[in-house]
Amino acid sequence: MKHTTQLPDRRPVRDRTGAATVAAPPPARTTARRRPSSQQWAAWGFLAPVTLYLALFYAYPLYRNIDLSLRNYTVRSFVQGDAPFTGLQNYLTVFDDPTFAPALLHTVVFTVVSLVFQYAIGLALAVFFTQHFRLSATLRALFLVPWLLPLIVSASTWSWMLNSDSGIVNAALHAVGIGPVNWLTSPDWSLTSVILANVWIGVPFNLVVLYSGLQSIPASLYEAAALDGANAWQRFWRITFPLLRPVSAITLLLGLVYTLKVFDIIWIMTKGGPADSSTTFATWSYQLGFGNLLPAFGPGAAVGNLLVVAALVFGLVYMRVQRKQGLS
C-alpha cells in the first residue's frame, strides 16, 4: 500500500476574465506570547518576601563582610567609605597572629567535644523516653527548659554556679571533701567550663530531633528482632542506630553550624580568658573588631569569614554524602 503525502490545497481560482490562477497558501499562524497566569503571579508574590529577606539579611551582610576583609578599614574610613584595597593582607595578618593557633585549637575542641556529648546524651534520653512511662511527657517538657531560656540567662546562671567563691558547684565539691576549683579564672578549666554550659544548652535540641526520628521507626522491627533473640543492645545497634542515620546527620550538621558561631556563652562566662585560654574564632573576631580602642575591622572580618567557609565546607560535605546515599 502506497502512502501519499497530502500537499497544501492549490485549487485553481478563476478571475473575472476566466483565466485560471493558483491561489497562494494561507499564511502561517503565529502564536502570541502567553501572559503569566494568576497562579504564576501568586507564586512570585510568595517568593518575593523570602528573596528580599535573604538578600537583605544574608547576601548583603556577607558581601559587606568580604569587602571588610579585603580592605584596610579604620574608624574614619569605615564612616567615609574610602578604605584602600589590600587584597589578602588581612588574612595573612590573621594567620601570622600568635592567637591564631590557640584560637583554632580551642574552636575545634569546643566544637567536637560539645557535639559528641550533646548527641550522645540527647540520643540516650531520646531512647529512654521512647518507653512511654508515666510522667514521660512532663519530663520531656522540663528538659526543654535550657533550650527555651535566653542565652544570656543560661550563661549568667552557669557563671554564678561555677563561681570560685560562692558557686554551688564548689560548695558541692567541698561537701564531699574536694577543694575549690577556679572554673572561670584558671586557664586549665575555663574551656571546660564553657563546654559544660554549651552541652547543657544543646542537649534539648538533640533530644527533640532524635526522639522524633525514633517515632518513625516501625515497632514491628523490634518485635521481630526480639523473637530472633536479640537483646536491647543488639536491637539498638542493628536497628535504631542505622535507621537514625539521616536524622543524626542533619542533627550533627545543625549542631556543628551552631557551635562554630557560639559567642554569647563564652563571652559572658570568660570573655575568652584568662590569657586567651577559652578564645575561639567567634570571640576573637569580636575582640578584633570591637574589643579594642583601635579596632581592626579587616582582620576581624577575615576571622569571621573563616568560620563561614568552615560551615560551608561541612554543609557541602553533608549534601554530597546525602546524594550518594540517595543514589545507592
Side-chain angles (χ1 to χ4, degrees), residues 163-293:
N163 187 275
S164 301
D165 301 324
S166 58
I168 190 174
V169 175
N170 277 347
L173 294 178
H174 178 73
V176 296
I178 301 177
V181 178
N182 297 323
W183 296 99
L184 304 177
T185 57
S186 172
D188 299 329
W189 289 101
S190 59
L191 187 61
T192 303
S193 302
V194 295
I195 290 176
L196 287 174
N198 189 62
V199 169
W200 181 77
I201 294 172
V203 164
F205 172 76
N206 288 260
L207 168 61
V208 171
V209 178
L210 294 174
Y211 180 80
S212 301
L214 288 174
Q215 299 305 304
S216 63
I217 301 178
S220 59
L221 297 178
Y222 296 104
E223 295 174 358
L227 292 176
D228 291 337
N231 55 31
W233 173 252
Q234 290 173 335
R235 291 196 298 269
F236 171 79
W237 193 249
R238 300 292 183 179
I239 299 176
T240 304
F241 193 72
L243 294 181
L244 271 183
R245 284 179 182 175
V247 179
S248 299
I250 190 63
T251 304
L252 291 174
L253 176 64
L254 294 176
L256 173 68
V257 174
Y258 168 78
T259 309
L260 279 175
K261 63 183 184 63
V262 167
F263 165 78
D264 317 63
I265 302 170
I266 301 175
W267 190 257
I268 293 173
M269 293 181 64
T270 64
K271 289 184 171 58
D276 294 333
S277 59
S278 59
T279 297
T280 61
F281 275 179
T283 58
W284 188 30
S285 176
Y286 179 83
Q287 288 176 342
L288 290 173
F290 305 98
N292 300 315
L293 295 176

